[in-house]
Amino acid sequence: MSTGGQNGIEAKSAPGDAATLRAPSFPVSHLGFLALSIVAVFLAATMPFDGYVLNILMQAATYAIAVFGLSVVLGLCGQINLAQAAFFGFGAYAVGIGTADYHVSFWLCLALGMVVALGAGAMLGLTTLKLGGHYLAMVTISFQQIVTLVMTNAISFTHGPDGVSHIERPSILSSQQAYLAFCVAALAFVGYLVWQLPQSRLGRAMRAVRDNELAAGVAGIDVYRTKVYAFAICALLGALGGGLFAGGFAYISPDQFSFAESIIFLTMALLGGIASPIGSVIGTGFLILIPEWLRFLKSIPGLYLALYGLAVILIVLFMPDGIWGFISSIIDRFRAKPAPQAAGDLVLQPGQRGGETVLEVNGLAKHFGGLKAVDGVDIAVRRASVHALIGPNGSGKTTILNVLSGIYGATAGTIRLDGADITRAPTHIRSIAGLGRTFQNIRLFRTMTALENVVIGAERRGNELVDGSAQALEKRALAALAFVGLKGREQELITSFSYGHQRLIEIARALAANPVLLLLDEPAAGLNSSEKLELHALLKRIAAQGLTILIIDHDMTLVSEAASHITVLNFGKRIADGESVGVLNHPDVISAYLGSDD
Amino acid sequence: MDLVLQLLFTGIGIGAVYALVALGFVLIFRATNVVNFAQGEFSMVAAFLMVVFAVDLGWPYWAAFLVSLAGMAILGVIFNLGVYYPLRHRTYLPVIISTIGASILMANLTLALYGPQPQVLQGWFETQGIQLGPVFLDSQYLLIIATTCVLVAFQYWFFEHTMLGKKLQATSQDKEMASLLGIPVVGMIMLTFVYSAILGGIAGILVAPILFVSIQMGSTIALKAFAATIIGGFGDVAGAIIGGLALGIIETFGAAYVSVPYKDGFAFLMLVLFLAFRPQGIFGERVAEKA
């Protein structure tokens, strides 16, 4: 009986196959999801459960909502939250204290708890997410401890260790069974949203941030804001689950929202698989049922959590994708990838606001302590030209590119892109202004397909060639991949491409964004001679469409043939600038590269 | 004024414990680029080992101390092999999660084996301490401060003036280059874990007579020590020590003048204030990821 109900809850998300991050365009029946959800809610409302089973189902449904939050922040965005029980507690205490002590409406309390959790989550995120993930882990643990301290010690408000009892629920849901049905409906609704999230703009941004923060920023994604959103969503779902939990059990106490519970939430998310809401439901179901089956373990305090700790290590070591990750990888093997729509030709229509100079760099300097990596460099890149920036190793080329794209702040000087001053703009704003780039050490989103990588490029805000619809984005991404010569391999994972092809995907990602200026950081590095020829031809095709290119490379043949204009750097200073042929014969340039007699 | 001096002394004593654990954090972070979230549990396990040998078995303190530290060395090896080594090529997130799992495992296994009752470990000395003018210098606090000074001096000498210390430094700065130069990187990282486990162990054993020996002491100490590393400047050895002392003093004064039940909250408050306004800490280290 109990397993039947449990299966009902799990089965209702089954069509979420497509939530597997790799197949966004898998045709899924949203109607099927709706039908299964209705069946699950109906079963929850009508099956003659006894009180014990009812409690387990109630716990599973409310916990799973909180675990959905972890699947967003950890699975989608790659950020850790070790305070989910605290956020769960916010919702629970808001409903508990509000309805029991102040007799405020359940709904109002639930909403209030969610708002407080959202605020707290955003505050934590805002202070911590600019820094690395270690900080977030420790700060969330600290936060969790503080919340527990307050719950236990602020007795006049929280009732301290005694907890809150006589929690009310809405009168129309006064029967246990009706309330369970409501929780299952909430679970299905939130599950649907979380399932759809990866295919939305925000969800794609989260995945990009998880895979490669630098590349995400360069593709026009506000990395910091995306992380804060993910974190706030996680806190919000935690509070929702907690509020429903309090209504379901009518009694709460601080130990239900301790750090140990946060770890249990984490284990649930990891065990089921963090990449998908189905995983969350599976993991939650398992970890609520297993303890019920193994009750005898509870006779020894600590043994239980010790096993959780061990399980966390073992899952991370041997099953990093969790149960559902394992199952879905098998399903994937037998599922034909949908054929993408036909690719059209790639159109590049670089916007034009400013005058003839697309990029105007004046007196640019970047000092690292005493080291003047770039020292007062001027560059002017003319519209629709291919401009090369060359110089011996250590002359400051890549530093300039990093300053141009906002990864380093400039020490002095100004950068104007298409007439607009971008010297102080953050990375993603420069991308929105029309700056595209590739990296010398390739930075792709490695858990995604080639197509998904390029879609993220196409999605750049400021790209007027797509209207933002999923179809238009995909069409543009397909065209960009075909343009660089990778037609037919769109659905393959990045890891299955050779080094040279990964480089082409990076270029396609930049082109799909329809930039005003394309920065190429040593595109020929590591390519063999035939790949270099292909690259050269590609550069010609790009230039033919009027897109301005600033290229850094060591390959003199490529540079002298492709570029019309060359700027030469040495020791962070500009030593020559002008038409290709003249510059390459300049005595200073020859001495910088080959050494001189004097 | 007398009270201020007394609190200052107590704060430095507690801060020295945080500093030792923080040092363990920093050493492992520098060697592996990963924060070991089970660092506090090293202190907890060592304190329990000490209780087993010195109280339950009645051994003399010095013998129990040495055997406990030997146990910590073994734990360091097991920890490295089971929790860090298999994940060394993955990103930091799985490693963090794995060390958190290890922390839960260690704390609760101790609970399962020893029960929930907090244990008492007597101080090392017969005499309670010395009265120095208006300030009473508790002998256990004096021992903690002295041991910390000795360990810090030892560590400085070890890293700056021995070949092994230089190899460890090389490993933490550039693993690839170090291994090309013939330094056994895997062994060096193992050694770092062993040393950090021993450091954490010493801190736990020294602080045990002041606190109760309980399974919660690990996570409490770890949080304080982490806050200390942020205050001092993440990844910085001197910062860990200064941060630890600063936090100990702040917390002691906070408990005396503001609130006792929320004593453990000051560390979090300092953590968030520093992260918000001076994330590079007092000694300003690199914070952002390099391009």
Side-chain angles (χ1 to χ4, degrees):
Chain A
M1 186 69 73
S2 74
T3 47
Q6 191 64 31
N7 282 341
I9 290 176
E10 283 171 16
K12 63 113 194 60
S13 346
D17 282 4
T20 338
L21 299 177
R22 282 170 228 123
S25 51
F26 183 67
V28 284
S29 159
H30 293 208
L31 278 178
F33 184 96
L34 183 67
L36 276 162
S37 304
I38 291 171
V39 170
V41 172
F42 179 75
L43 285 178
T46 55
M47 290 280 277
F49 296 124
D50 62 35
Y52 172 70
V53 175
L54 213 63
N55 276 345
I56 287 184
L57 290 178
M58 189 94 81
Q59 194 189 353
T62 51
Y63 270 45
I65 294 177
V67 178
F68 282 160
L70 285 179
S71 110
V72 171
V73 81
L74 187 62
L76 271 187
C77 202
Q79 308 299 311
I80 199 160
N81 171 10
L82 295 169
Q84 188 64 341
F87 295 117
F88 195 70
F90 279 172
Y93 268 85
V95 168
I97 297 171
T99 61
D101 294 351
Y102 299 97
H103 306 287
V104 182
S105 136
F106 173 88
W107 304 111
L108 198 63
C109 295
L110 187 62
L112 190 70
M114 288 166 72
V115 169
V116 171
L118 189 70
M123 268 306 296
L124 270 189
L126 285 170
T127 47
T128 320
L129 286 165
K130 276 223 162 114
L131 312 166
H134 296 114
Y135 294 87
L136 189 60
M138 252 318 167
V139 169
T140 51
I141 295 180
S142 302
F143 177 73
Q144 169 73 60
Q145 306 283 21
I146 301 297
V147 171
T148 304
L149 269 181
V150 174
M151 282 177 184
T152 335
N153 289 309
I155 295 173
S156 59
F157 183 60
T158 64
H159 303 261
D162 295 342
V164 184
S165 49
H166 305 293
I167 298 171
E168 292 159 18
R169 59 169 86 121
S171 50
I172 46 163
L173 299 171
S174 59
S175 91
Q176 278 279 78
Q177 195 110 31
Y179 190 78
L180 175 67
F182 168 69
C183 290
V184 171
L187 177 73
F189 177 67
V190 176
Y192 179 79
L193 295 182
V194 175
W195 169 42
Q196 289 303 310
L197 185 61
Q199 277 74 252
S200 71
R201 182 186 190 103
L202 180 62
R204 262 195 297 272
M206 288 179 186
R207 292 154 66 201
V209 167
R210 177 196 62 197
D211 280 5
N212 199 317
E213 288 191 13
L214 269 184
V218 166
I221 292 166
D222 188 340
V223 172
Y224 175 54
R225 182 185 297 204
T226 305
K227 289 200 265 184
V228 172
Y229 280 165
F231 202 76
I233 291 175
C234 176
L236 183 77
L237 293 183
L240 175 61
L244 294 176
F245 174 84
F249 289 88
Y251 168 74
I252 52 172
S253 62
D255 57 307
Q256 291 165 322
F257 314 105
S258 64
F259 178 57
E261 290 297 312
S262 278
I263 294 299
I264 291 174
F265 281 129
L266 179 73
T267 319
M268 287 171 171
L270 289 173
L271 177 66
I274 48 172
S276 147
I278 306 170
S280 305
V281 174
I282 294 176
T284 311
F286 258 99
L287 286 193
I288 286 176
L289 284 180
I290 294 174
E292 297 302 322
W293 295 331
L294 304 175
R295 286 199 89 83
F296 61 92
L297 285 178
K298 282 202 169 149
S299 55
I300 305 166
L303 189 56
Y304 220 69
L305 271 174
L307 288 177
Y308 273 41
L310 186 64
V312 169
I313 302 177
L314 293 178
I315 295 167
V316 171
L317 286 186
F318 300 112
M319 208 171 55
D321 299 324
I323 296 173
W324 179 247
F326 179 71
I327 298 173
S328 63
S329 70
I330 293 175
I331 296 175
D332 272 359
R333 226 174 284 165
F334 296 102
R335 194 169 65 192
K337 292 279 183 195
Q341 35 175 338
D345 290 331
L346 182 74
V347 180
L348 295 173
Q349 263 174 21
Q352 176 164 6
R353 288 185 308 264
E356 264 314 288
T357 310
V358 172
L359 180 72
E360 197 182 341
V361 175
N362 280 317
L364 190 70
K366 176 63 193 173
H367 300 173
F368 295 102
L371 173 73
K372 295 176 175 174
V374 177
D375 195 15
V377 170
D378 300 336
I379 305 171
V381 179
R382 270 182 298 135
R383 194 173 296 281
S385 71
V386 177
H387 190 123
L389 187 61
I390 64 169
N393 278 330
S395 59
K397 303 182 301 286
T398 295
T399 305
I400 288 194
L401 229 57
N402 284 336
V403 175
L404 288 183
S405 52
I407 291 166
Y408 298 150
T411 310
T414 57
I415 307 166
R416 299 182 77 82
L417 178 69
D418 203 10
D421 188 342
I422 57 164
T423 316
R424 301 264 161 256
T427 307
H428 66 278
I429 298 292
R430 297 180 195 219
S431 162
I432 293 166
L435 196 70
R437 81 165 276 187
T438 65
F439 291 89
Q440 184 184 342
N441 45 347
I442 298 169
R443 289 182 175 273
L444 288 165
F445 308 120
R446 306 199 71 86
T447 64
M448 302 187 207
T449 62
L451 181 62
E452 287 175 296
N453 267 274
V454 183
V455 163
I456 288 175
E459 203 162 26
R460 175 181 80 93
R461 269 184 290 157
N463 178 4
E464 284 146 10
L465 296 181
V466 290
D467 56 11
S469 74
Q471 258 196 334
L473 286 172
E474 185 173 308
K475 198 164 179 187
R476 174 140 189 101
L478 289 169
L481 280 167
F483 187 80
V484 299
L486 291 174
K487 192 172 165 49
R489 301 190 60 189
E490 296 89 353
Q491 300 286 13
E492 289 179 37
L493 280 176
I494 292 303
T495 39
S496 68
F497 287 92
S498 71
Y499 187 80
H501 284 162
Q502 292 190 14
R503 188 139 260 165
L504 293 178
I505 296 173
E506 232 194 357
I507 296 177
R509 185 175 67 194
L511 289 178
N514 190 36
V516 175
L517 171 69
L518 179 61
L519 303 178
L520 297 173
D521 189 0
E522 303 208 15
L527 299 190
N528 63 36
S529 51
S530 72
E531 284 173 331
K532 276 184 189 172
L533 287 177
E534 283 176 36
L535 177 71
H536 193 175
L538 176 62
L539 290 182
K540 277 185 179 159
R541 289 206 300 279
I542 298 172
Q545 294 218 33
L547 175 60
T548 318
I549 299 176
L550 177 61
I551 182 175
I552 289 183
D553 217 290
H554 279 302
D555 190 308
M556 282 305 155
T557 330
L558 180 79
V559 165
S560 58
E561 284 177 16
S564 56
H565 200 101
I566 298 181
T567 302
V568 188
L569 294 179
N570 201 14
F571 298 114
K573 289 190 191 303
R574 191 173 88 171
I575 58 169
D577 185 73
E579 299 294 325
S580 302
V581 186
V583 166
L584 290 177
N585 293 325
H586 194 287
D588 286 351
V589 176
I590 294 170
S591 88
Y593 270 88
L594 302 173
S596 60
D597 296 333
D598 48 63
Chain B
M1 193 57 212
D2 293 0
L3 179 62
V4 169
L5 283 176
Q6 186 67 56
L7 290 174
L8 198 62
F9 173 72
T10 313
I12 291 175
I14 283 289
V17 172
Y18 299 157
L20 284 184
V21 180
L23 269 184
F25 261 126
V26 169
L27 291 178
I28 289 186
F29 178 75
R30 285 164 66 112
T32 63
N33 276 323
V34 163
V35 174
N36 172 22
F37 283 83
Q39 190 67 31
E41 310 311 334
F42 288 151
S43 302
M44 184 271 303
V45 170
F48 268 97
L49 285 178
M50 192 70 188
V51 168
V52 169
F53 295 122
V55 180
D56 299 353
L57 299 179
W59 293 6
Y61 265 35
W62 61 269
F65 180 70
L66 290 180
V67 173
S68 300
L69 292 191
M72 293 320 292
I74 297 170
L75 185 63
V77 172
I78 297 174
F79 190 89
N80 176 47
L81 290 180
V83 180
Y84 169 73
Y85 187 75
L87 297 169
R88 65 195 181 288
H89 297 308
R90 306 253 294 269
T91 58
Y92 73 91
L93 199 59
V95 189
I96 287 189
I97 295 174
S98 163
T99 64
I100 291 167
S103 146
I104 302 293
L105 175 62
M106 279 149 78
N108 287 285
L109 205 56
T110 309
L111 173 65
L113 293 172
Y114 216 91
Q117 214 60 39
Q119 302 295 313
V120 178
L121 187 68
Q122 296 299 326
W124 287 53
F125 301 108
E126 295 283 319
T127 47
Q128 277 291 309
I130 348 164
Q131 189 74 36
L132 188 75
V135 184
F136 180 73
L137 304 178
D138 185 290
S139 55
Q140 190 66 30
Y141 283 90
L142 281 177
L143 177 67
I144 292 173
I145 295 170
T147 314
T148 306
C149 290
V150 170
L151 278 173
V152 168
F154 165 77
Q155 189 168 315
Y156 174 78
W157 168 79
F158 177 73
F159 276 102
E160 299 301 326
H161 296 284
T162 69
M163 202 55 212
L164 190 57
K166 293 203 162 137
K167 285 182 180 173
L168 280 169
Q169 280 204 51
T171 305
S172 76
Q173 285 172 20
D174 189 337
K175 279 189 254 314
E176 215 161 78
M177 194 60 221
S179 86
L180 286 175
L181 290 173
I183 297 173
V185 167
V186 171
M188 292 297 126
I189 290 177
M190 173 86 87
L191 194 62
T192 308
F193 272 97
V194 168
Y195 183 62
S196 295
I198 291 177
L199 265 187
I202 293 175
I205 291 172
L206 289 178
V207 80
I210 297 174
L211 311 169
F212 282 112
V213 179
S214 69
I215 63 149
Q216 286 86 19
M217 72 183 272
S219 59
T220 315
I221 290 180
L223 283 179
K224 308 292 177 59
F226 187 80
T229 61
I230 303 273
I231 294 171
F234 203 60
D236 190 81
V237 169
I241 297 164
I242 303 293
L245 294 177
L247 186 62
I249 294 169
I250 291 166
E251 199 178 88
T252 310
F253 277 87
Y257 290 109
V258 186
S259 155
V260 175
Y262 290 106
K263 176 170 155 274
D264 292 337
F266 294 113
F268 176 71
L269 192 67
M270 295 303 296
L271 184 64
V272 169
L273 286 178
F274 263 88
L275 285 179
F277 299 109
R278 197 176 161 78
Q280 71 274 38
I282 298 172
F283 284 83
E285 263 274 312
R286 70 209 150 97
V287 176
E289 194 189 344
K290 285 256 168 71

